[in-house]
Amino acid sequence: MWTLEEAQALHDAPFNDLLFQAQTIHRQNFDPNKVQLSRLLSIKTGGCPEDCGYCSQSAHHDTDLKASKLMEVRRVIAEATKARDAGATRYCMGAAWKNPKARDMDAVVAMVEGVKALGMETCMTLGMLDLEQAALLKQAGLDYYNHNIDTSERYYNEIISTRTFADRLDTLANVRDSGIKVCCGGIVGMSEEPVDRIDMLVTLANLPEHPESVPINMLIPIAGTPLADAKPIEPIEFVRVIALARIMMPKSHVRLSAGRTAMTDEMQALCFFAGANSIFVGDTLLTADNPGEDKDTLLFRRLGIEPMELEVQ
Ligand code: SAM
Ligand code: DTB
Ligand code: SF4
């Protein structure tokens, strides 16, 4: 169990000491020159009843986004095939729902089965899940479920009012109990205090089991959302958060998630050194821009990084 004081002391250590420790732990657990590639697809975009202050897809905010219905299964599989052929090993499908409805489950199950049959790992993020829905997804072969705590418990209420921090933890417990692997992280750069970032990592590291994947998103400011003008996080501070995540959850894949288009190559290189070993590839995330294949291929070549192969189960 981590205390906030222990995590804070690590976070505040001289930068070189923090990075040396993070890289040492990283090497004890992973090949330091391999990064896992995931690909996202928004299977149901916009019109979300939740009011997450950062999100382009919330019906509460006046963003430019066009809402759409649930995508057809065969289109999802066609997109996943392209991602696999471009080197992605995990396919992550996201829907802008508070929770999946009973009538959606057949289609969602067919998507998991279809993508799995392509030989990729599957991940979904569909909002809250009850135990029954989690069991159904597990049975379909779902490998991961993404559900983020987003920030500290203290700051959470400033960002989202339509569901609680405890609701998030309940869904995470249902996912864990069903035997699906957990992908859970958060966002930094939402005008939170440093202590909120540290406390978020303490909550993650003190879950009954560490999430197998920990996405660290840097806020992508979206016009029309309450966080459109949030002050960007300072790059060195962002790298400290990655290093802390690596040290506190040594065996988890730490994903350098949203926000890479606003990062320099040097900042991303420091994040990889600090222990990040997963990214989203492709030129879009769910609705926002991502660097795209050419840029990432070039960056990996310059850093001598290679895509991580799928572990044989
Ligand atoms: N609706 C589902 C949910 O919220 O659980 C899944 C999709 S939601 C878009 C997945 C995660 O993306 C959020 O929890 C948040 O951490 C991240 N995210 C959303 N918008 C973002 C933004 N503008 N910048 C950075 N991260 C963002
Ligand atoms: C996560 O932590 N980041 C991804 C994934 N989980 C679903 C989503 C990032 C979304 C970025 C904003 C957008 O594309 O709308
Ligand atoms: Fe809806 Fe997810 Fe966006 Fe929140 S983050 S508004 S739950 S799509």
Side-chain angles (χ1 to χ4, degrees), residues 162-189:
T162 49
R163 51 166 157 66
T164 63
F165 198 76
D167 289 335
R168 293 304 261 189
L169 297 178
D170 284 348
T171 291
L172 289 169
N174 291 340
V175 171
R176 189 50 95 194
D177 289 349
S178 74
I180 299 171
K181 289 183 220 158
V182 172
C183 170
C184 183
I187 313 182
V188 298

Side-chain angles (χ1 to χ4, degrees), residues 48 50 52 54-57 94-98 125-128 145-150 163 168 185-188 215 217-222 258-259 286 288:
C48 184
E50 306 279 11
C52 309
Y54 46 79
C55 187
S56 64
Q57 305 197 69
W97 286 328
K98 185 179 187 69
T125 177
L126 314 171
M128 296 194 252
Y145 196 79
N146 165 250
H147 201 66
N148 292 339
I149 58 169
D150 280 341
R163 51 166 157 66
R168 293 304 261 189
I187 313 182
V188 298
N217 298 280
M218 185 172 87
L219 178 75
I220 302 179
I222 311 273
L286 289 172

Side-chain angles (χ1 to χ4, degrees), residues 43-45 68-72 95 97 103-104 107-108 111:
I43 57 170
K44 197 269 163 208
T45 306
S68 67
K69 287 201 282 203
L70 184 61
M71 210 182 247
E72 280 175 48
W97 286 328
R103 63 163 191 265
D104 303 315
V108 161
M111 289 173 194

